[in-house]
Amino acid sequence: MRARSLAALLALVGGAALAAPAPSLRIEEPAPGRYVSGLVTLRARIEPEGLPVLRLAFSADGHPVCAREAPPWECAWDAGLDVVAHNIRAVAVLTDGSRLVDSVRTEAASFAPAVDVEVVQVAATVSDEKGRLVKGLGRGAFRVFEDERPQEVTHFIGADAERELAVAVDMSGSMEPAMAKCRAAVKGFLASIRPVDPVTLLAFNDSVFTVSRREAAPEARLRAVDRLRAWGSTAFYDAVLRGLDLLERHRGRRALVLFTDGEDMVSRATAQDVQRRIEVSAAPVYVVAQGKGMREPGLKRVLDRVAGVSGGRAFYTDRVEELDGVFAEIGEDIASQYLLAYAPTELVRDGGWRTIRVEVAGTKDTVRARQGYRASA
């Protein structure tokens, strides 16, 4: 009797173990609570893989976006210029007539970051008297001055909000001796970025090319870095403009990170083109110059100007072993960044330069921010 009971129990357990997992549908992109704007990829996963699916349809705010009859279960959707809340829904119809449904809600930002000639955006990083980065500040802590005239901070995004990043890495021939350590440093930096923060990875030598799109999974970005090989010359100026172009398609907190080891020799763009673009861009730029790149006086002047005006930073190191620490410092800096916006009290589009100064009221904290902007007509 006892043997029969044991056999029955084993049969029951075995049957449960062999039972197929329940079909499921999950929207992977965008993630719940994320800020979205511009062109966005909607992506879903159906499990188990190979499940017979007739059709999967996406909708946004009750309006159809697209339908797919085979994987990959994804499509492009224009979320608009403003960062407002959206309801994304995915419905999969299986061959047996049953349906799988999932939905996510994205968030609205307190900062409406459309590119508007009436609004000036300012990225700001705050350090205390000991040089430690300060987080957790609110809108009311900041004071903004344009040409020393006080401005009202009308929109604000805190340091914990999502951020859009573009990372451009020099893969010219001169990088060959340091390629292994450079790849390791870049991978360490990318691995430190939160999964909710989109990252576009670029590489440049004679030209600029996309290594990993912003929609790529974090592990796919790391694999893409392993495939990088050194050859050609250095189109650094073209890489700056390409990175800023990509960031301008999106809203909210943004930053461009560039690494180079040599002076630009082949770009179609010039140093003057880069300077003009920085003067009208709201994205802070972080630059790392290593080896020959840190010893070229002309390049160093450009890098200092680009980083300083934008509110970013320029780092110079003669040892590739120091790259890990430099990238870690950049990552911490970007993670601590606030985004402010104001409507100038005296807006005159005369092509003149407007200085910007940001302070934290009642403290001795140091604020690094965009130094100004060109009031283009």
Side-chain angles (χ1 to χ4, degrees):
M1 180 70 179
R2 183 175 179 183
R4 286 197 298 270
S5 299
L6 180 58
L9 179 60
L10 289 174
L12 179 62
V13 172
L18 293 174
S24 65
L25 166 66
R26 181 169 63 90
I27 297 176
E28 295 185 320
E29 190 70 27
R34 183 175 164 186
Y35 300 103
V36 298
S37 65
L39 194 62
V40 176
T41 295
L42 304 182
R43 181 183 297 109
R45 176 184 291 274
I46 298 177
E47 294 183 336
E49 293 185 4
L51 198 68
V53 179
L54 288 177
R55 183 171 180 267
L56 184 144
F58 286 103
S59 63
D61 304 323
H63 301 287
V65 175
C66 71
R68 296 288 182 265
E69 297 180 353
W73 308 112
E74 62 181 50
C75 65
W77 168 59
D78 189 349
L81 293 178
D82 295 332
V83 183
V84 299
H86 295 286
N87 288 304
I88 311 300
R89 180 179 171 88
V91 179
V93 180
L94 307 185
T95 54
D96 63 2
S98 60
R99 302 198 316 163
L100 305 175
V101 180
D102 191 26
S103 61
V104 299
R105 178 180 174 81
T106 67
E107 294 298 323
S110 59
F111 167 50
V115 176
D116 188 335
V117 296
E118 306 297 328
V119 176
V120 177
Q121 304 174 31
V122 185
T125 305
V126 183
S127 302
D128 64 17
E129 292 181 87
K130 295 184 178 180
R132 297 171 299 195
L133 293 168
V134 179
K135 300 182 181 180
L137 298 176
R139 179 194 305 190
F142 291 91
R143 301 289 183 269
V144 178
F145 301 85
E146 180 179 298
D147 289 341
E148 293 305 316
R149 291 187 291 269
Q151 308 292 320
E152 179 186 0
V153 178
T154 57
H155 304 93
F156 174 83
I157 290 182
D160 294 329
E162 178 183 314
R163 51 190 180 266
E164 183 86 25
L165 300 179
V167 179
V169 182
D170 187 343
M171 289 292 106
S172 58
S174 58
M175 281 294 301
E176 180 61 36
M179 271 304 306
K181 292 181 179 178
C182 177
R183 281 195 295 260
V186 172
K187 289 173 65 176
F189 173 68
L190 295 175
S192 71
I193 296 171
R194 302 177 305 179
V196 297
D197 296 330
V199 183
T200 301
L201 179 61
L202 305 173
F204 60 95
N205 41 39
D206 292 340
S207 59
V208 185
F209 48 95
T210 301
V211 176
S212 176
R213 297 189 304 167
R214 67 187 296 274
E215 298 86 1
E219 57 273 16
R221 286 199 297 266
L222 300 183
R223 290 195 299 269
V225 174
D226 285 330
R227 294 193 294 268
L228 293 176
R229 297 295 180 267
W231 60 275
S233 299
T234 306
F236 176 76
Y237 301 148
D238 287 349
V240 176
L241 298 188
R242 175 71 175 279
L244 292 176
D245 284 344
L246 291 171
L247 292 174
E248 292 300 332
R249 300 176 187 177
H250 307 283
R251 305 296 179 255
R253 294 203 305 157
R254 294 166 286 178
L256 173 60
V257 181
L258 302 116
F259 167 78
T260 186
D261 82 329
E263 188 173 13
D264 193 308
M265 301 296 290
V266 296
S267 283
R268 290 185 294 272
T270 65
Q272 290 72 31
D273 294 330
V274 169
Q275 180 169 317
R276 285 192 293 265
R277 182 60 181 275
I278 289 294
E279 290 177 350
V280 297
S281 173
V285 179
Y286 294 82
V287 184
V288 182
Q290 189 266 331
K292 183 180 177 181
M294 67 171 292
R295 295 188 293 271
E296 296 287 348
L299 178 61
K300 192 173 186 298
R301 283 194 296 270
V302 173
L303 301 187
D304 287 340
R305 174 69 176 170
V306 166
V309 171
S310 70
R313 297 175 65 184
F315 297 81
Y316 301 96
T317 173
D318 201 24
R319 299 178 58 202
V320 70
E321 293 81 4
E322 297 174 348
L323 290 178
D324 283 329
V326 170
F327 279 121
E329 192 169 347
I330 291 174
E332 185 179 0
D333 201 273
I334 293 174
S336 306
Q337 204 172 76
Y338 302 89
L339 185 61
L340 321 171
Y342 67 92
T345 55
E346 298 183 20
L347 180 64
V348 180
R349 293 288 169 178
D350 58 0
W353 177 255
R354 307 287 186 264
T355 62
I356 295 175
R357 181 170 62 85
V358 182
E359 65 181 26
V360 177
T363 73
K364 295 183 179 180
D365 291 344
T366 300
V367 181
R368 178 166 30 82
R370 184 180 181 185
Q371 293 179 359
Y373 69 97
R374 183 74 57 187
S376 301

